[in-house]
Amino acid sequence: MPSNDQKTILITGGAGFVGSHLCDRLLSAGHRVISLDNFHTGRRTNHHRHLSNPNFRLIDADIAAPLPEMAVDEIYNLACPASPVHYQESPITTLRTNLLGAVNVLELAVSQRARVLQASTSEVYGDPLIHPQTEDYFGNVNSFGERACYDEGKRAAEALFHAYEQERGADIRIARIFNTYGPRMQHDDGRVVSNFVVQALRQQPITLYGDGSQTRSFCFVDDLVDGLVRLMASDVKTPVNLGNPNEFTMIELAGLVMELTGSRSSVTHLPLPSDDPKRRRPDIAKAERLLGWTPTIPLAAGLPLTIAFFRDALTAGGELVPSPDDAFPYQMSAE
Ligand code: NAD
Ligand code: UDP
């Protein structure tokens, strides 16, 4: 790549599921990538493939604390636990990451005149009263519920991005990401795809919450990364939905996972968590029109790749191989 096309790009949350795939994509395009992560839910092993690349740097830091000054052209703000199990472990930590983290990232972006993209979420629509969800829907969110730390944290982060654009001229982009899945999801983070696949591979009961009629629309991670990169390159400063509009009930998902794994697992019904959205499907007309983006990988194609990833992670005894995180010797600090 000609050196004037090479950018220095900060990815907060780069060691996470989506962040590590984004690192793959940006490094292979020839950019310099800095991953900043406190390994709350991310894994050092997700960076193994990046460490030998001279264009890659890793910084172990918390975005809720003031960030080290660094020269960057673009920032993707992905740092935040994404699964309900993890973000509900410490609601205060989740809110600090979303609120203080957004301020710190925006301050860095303004000081560096860097373009900054916020990984927002379909959770800003809460348990939506319109279907599918368009970007102009204001949402149906409970500020006092189990999901509030994440939903309201992400909503406030969007408001902070908007405020920094208005008052400080920040060059912002906002992606409202819908359920995304693929290799490198954590096996134990409680999200439905990883739960069902790991349970099916272990011949354990599939845990269906409620009656399983609630819906989600699942986007394969490569499609999402493509959408994020297109949004960053665009001039669209208002929120854009990124997700796959094909909608499935959780019963349908369980059936597909059983079929593709050849599992003989039974299904066990557990209580539906409170404030669990009943239906979710993105309207992606805006992304199609303004970014020329549409997902290309259906669940029937992405799920086998995800199953293969989890199958590889299983030992013959059916246990997941322990992460070698603790033995990981490599860590760079900020310059
Ligand atoms: P993930 O939990 O795998 O990754 C999040 C990363 O952020 C981890 O590496 C974690 O260690 C890091 N992190 C968390 N708090 C931090 C802090 N205070 N300072 C520094 N690093 C911190 O989650 P993911 O699925 O890769 O999600 C990435 C982003 O996309 C998140 O912001 C999430 O809210 C958003 N998102 C994801 C989905 C999805 O389905 N995966 C859907 C909607 C939105
Ligand atoms: N779910 C389920 N069994 C599980 C995990 C989740 O039935 O083992 C359901 C959950 O109640 C929700 C849907 O699957 O309706 C998606 O859950 P996930 O945590 O993946 O994402 P989110 O609710 O944040 O969209």
Side-chain angles (χ1 to χ4, degrees), residues 138-162:
F138 292 162
N140 175 37
V141 182
N142 176 6
S143 67
F144 227 71
E146 300 281 312
R147 293 182 177 239
C149 58
Y150 184 74
D151 299 4
E152 298 291 13
K154 289 284 187 181
R155 286 172 68 91
E158 284 197 11
L160 277 163
F161 269 64
H162 180 60

Side-chain angles (χ1 to χ4, degrees), residues 217-254:
S217 308
F218 297 102
C219 185
F220 191 65
V221 64
D222 291 2
D223 277 334
L224 173 68
V225 165
D226 187 48
L228 292 173
V229 170
R230 282 174 188 251
L231 177 58
M232 181 65 101
S234 78
D235 57 5
V236 185
K237 294 171 188 284
T238 50
V240 179
N241 287 341
L242 293 179
N244 189 315
N246 290 328
E247 186 180 359
F248 294 83
T249 65
M250 295 310 99
I251 296 174
E252 289 170 331
L253 177 69

